[in-house]
Amino acid sequence: MSIEVKVPVLGESVSEATVGQWLKQPGEAVALDEPIASLETDKVAVEVPSPVAGIMGAHVAAEGDTVAVGALLGLIETSGVANAPAPAPAAAAAPAAVAADDAAALSPAVRRAVLEHGIDPATVKGTGKDGRLTKEDVLAAAVAKQAAPAPVVAAPAPAPAPAPVVSTSGERREERVKMTRLRQTIAKRLKSAQETAAMLTTFNDVDMSAVMEARAKYKDVFEKKHGVKLGLMSFFAKASVLALKDIPSVNAQLQGDEIVYFDYVDISVAVSAPNGLVVPVVRDVDKMSFAGIEKAIADYGKKARDGTLTMADMAGGTFTISNGGVFGGLMSTPIINPPQSAVLGLHRIEDRPVVRDGQIVVRPMMYIALSYDHRIIDGREAVTALKTIKEAIEDPTRLLIDM
């Protein structure tokens, strides 16, 4: 008996996807709920589980095909195969190494790491849910592989060194790779933002001394108490909340001929994922503690690396923070994340000479940038909002007393 596997509902306003990769080939055994294919939507990669246990049948859609929600993807053959539930997790005493049949069911990020580093997934112990491999498991195995001493074998008699091969053709090569659906969507959205919004950027610089001193003083006790590191993003998220509450237009959106103001702050945090930049949303930041913000960002970072972000993780958002400083960027003009009206860009911290009380001193300084839609945010409002963020970072006490 053949069971049809169709494209599942992918999320609100998402009507189609691209077949990224078939995780099961015709003739391979498939367990109930085991991922058999990976679909790329406009925002995330989605794994399609098998509705039954059986044998993978024909692939109706090929890798790279665009498929609509409800379209037929492939078939599962169940003749003579009992619809048994997925195998239970191995007992604690059993090794959690990934079996060869399970290697194809790895997440996209893990598969990419396995291929890049030449790691056999069957030899690696998984630390993820139900013993599944994570990207960190593969990277750790790659490091261990490099550090392992090479086996000592008897060296054969040296052969005459071959003459060096010298290319005299001057050949130059090109490689054409089709853009993923996610990369195509990123390109369209960024170009649309430039063409639609009256985008302008204002800059300021921030003395990071107070924040760095606070982190150095409390980082150990903070991590011990909350189980997460005290980073910079929680300070800037809190400072942004102050600015957005004082200047509501920076937290607003233009919808048709109406301006929509929000009495809550949902901050999209730009995160680098294997397939491109994604912006999961930390919701109700105005009601969260420093630890809550750091935990939410850390969880999203892990999900982005593992390729497990969902559509719901990235839906909405009233303001965006993008930290180009982690890549060494000194200054940039970040692009607005539609339909939002503003984005805060953070950059690297470096020691620079500044004047304090008439004296030239060295301070850890950071350039910050606020790109905004001039259609609904006036220059005065943008400059004031950025200045509020600067003052809160330079004097973190303001974050505690709502100043």
Side-chain angles (χ1 to χ4, degrees), residues 1 9 33 54 63 72 129 147 172 182 210 227 237 239 244 267 274 287 302 315 323 339 355 362 395 398:
M1 179 179 178
V9 176
D33 291 331
E63 293 182 359
L72 182 61
K129 183 179 179 181
R172 300 190 300 171
L182 176 59
L244 301 181
I267 296 183
K287 300 176 183 177
K302 185 177 187 304
N323 186 6
V355 178
V362 176
D395 182 8
R398 290 173 176 265

Side-chain angles (χ1 to χ4, degrees), residues 47 107 247 280 289 293 371 391:
E47 291 184 340
S107 71
I247 313 294
S289 65
I293 295 171
S371 293
E391 292 173 344

Side-chain angles (χ1 to χ4, degrees), residues 320-343:
T320 294
I321 299 179
S322 178
N323 186 6
V326 297
F327 303 110
L330 176 63
M331 186 179 291
S332 68
T333 55
I335 298 179
I336 296 169
N337 178 26
Q340 298 172 19
S341 299
V343 52

Side-chain angles (χ1 to χ4, degrees), residues 23 76 140 145 150 180-181 224 244 251 258 260 269 272 278 299 333 349 384 397:
L23 307 178
I76 303 291
K145 179 180 177 182
T180 64
R181 175 171 288 273
K224 183 177 180 180
L244 301 181
N251 195 47
E258 296 179 334
V260 180
V269 180
S272 181
V278 292
D299 288 344
T333 55
I349 302 171
T384 302
T397 305

Side-chain angles (χ1 to χ4, degrees), residues 12-369:
E12 185 179 356
S13 77
V14 179
S15 60
E16 62 180 20
T18 299
V19 180
Q21 184 177 12
W22 277 103
L23 307 178
K24 286 292 184 178
Q25 300 303 316
E28 292 184 342
V30 178
L32 175 66
D33 291 331
E34 184 177 10
I36 61 172
S38 174
L39 303 179
E40 294 180 355
T41 71
D42 291 348
K43 296 182 179 180
V44 294
V46 178
E47 291 184 340
V48 179
S50 174
V52 294
I55 303 297
M56 189 69 223
H59 294 168
V60 177
E63 293 182 359
D65 285 356
T66 297
V67 289
V69 171
L72 182 61
L73 276 176
L75 302 173
I76 303 291
E77 304 297 337
T78 60
S79 300
V81 180
N83 289 343
V98 177
D101 272 354
D102 294 331
L106 302 176
S107 71
V110 175
R111 286 196 301 276
R112 184 177 295 103
V114 165
L115 294 174
E116 288 178 354
H117 296 283
I119 299 298
D120 180 0
T123 65
V124 183
K125 181 178 180 179
T127 61
K129 183 179 179 181
D130 297 335
R132 295 185 69 181
L133 281 187
T134 66
K135 183 178 179 181
E136 287 74 16
D137 296 333
V138 178
L139 295 179
V143 172
K145 179 180 177 182
Q146 293 176 354
V152 178
V153 296
V165 178
V166 180
S167 173
T168 59
S169 65
E171 179 183 3
R172 300 190 300 171
R173 299 181 179 179
E174 296 179 354
E175 181 182 7
R176 292 180 181 270
V177 179
K178 184 178 180 180
M179 293 175 69
T180 64
R181 175 171 288 273
L182 176 59
R183 176 52 60 185
Q184 292 178 46
T185 301
I186 291 173
K188 291 177 182 177
R189 285 174 60 83
L190 295 182
K191 188 59 180 176
S192 175
Q194 288 183 318
E195 293 175 345
T196 303
M199 194 158 59
L200 194 62
T201 304
T202 183
F203 298 91
N204 215 318
D205 60 356
V206 179
D207 187 338
M208 299 295 294
S209 299
V211 167
M212 294 180 70
E213 289 171 6
R215 291 180 67 204
K217 184 176 181 180
Y218 297 110
K219 65 178 182 179
D220 292 336
V221 66
F222 184 92
E223 184 172 6
K224 183 177 180 180
K225 180 176 181 179
H226 300 292
V228 67
K229 293 182 179 179
L230 178 59
L232 292 178
M233 288 297 289
S234 55
F235 285 92
F236 278 100
K238 284 285 192 179
S240 296
V241 168
L242 291 183
L244 301 181
K245 292 293 186 180
D246 286 347
I247 313 294
S249 62
V250 183
N251 195 47
Q253 294 178 9
L254 187 61
Q255 296 183 9
D257 59 356
E258 296 179 334
I259 300 176
V260 180
Y261 296 92
F262 303 97
D263 67 352
Y264 54 87
V265 178
D266 290 351
I267 296 183
S268 303
V269 180
V271 176
S272 181
N275 291 331
L277 194 70
V278 292
V279 278
V281 181
V282 181
R283 305 182 195 284
D284 295 317
V285 178
D286 49 320
K287 300 176 183 177
M288 297 178 72
S289 65
F290 278 77
I293 295 171
E294 293 292 353
K295 288 178 181 177
I297 293 173
D299 288 344
Y300 279 143
K302 185 177 187 304
K303 292 178 74 173
R305 293 190 297 272
D306 293 343
T308 58
L309 284 171
T310 67
M311 302 292 292
D313 291 333
M314 292 182 286
T318 62
F319 183 74
T320 294
I321 299 179
S322 178
N323 186 6
V326 297
F327 303 110
L330 176 63
M331 186 179 291
S332 68
T333 55
I335 298 179
I336 296 169
N337 178 26
Q340 298 172 19
S341 299
V343 52
L344 175 67
L346 310 182
H347 302 92
R348 76 169 184 251
I349 302 171
E350 62 177 8
D351 289 339
R352 292 201 298 268
V354 295
V355 178
R356 296 288 185 267
D357 300 323
Q359 300 294 320
I360 298 177
V361 295
V362 176
R363 292 286 188 268
M365 303 297 292
M366 175 197 286
Y367 289 117
I368 57 176

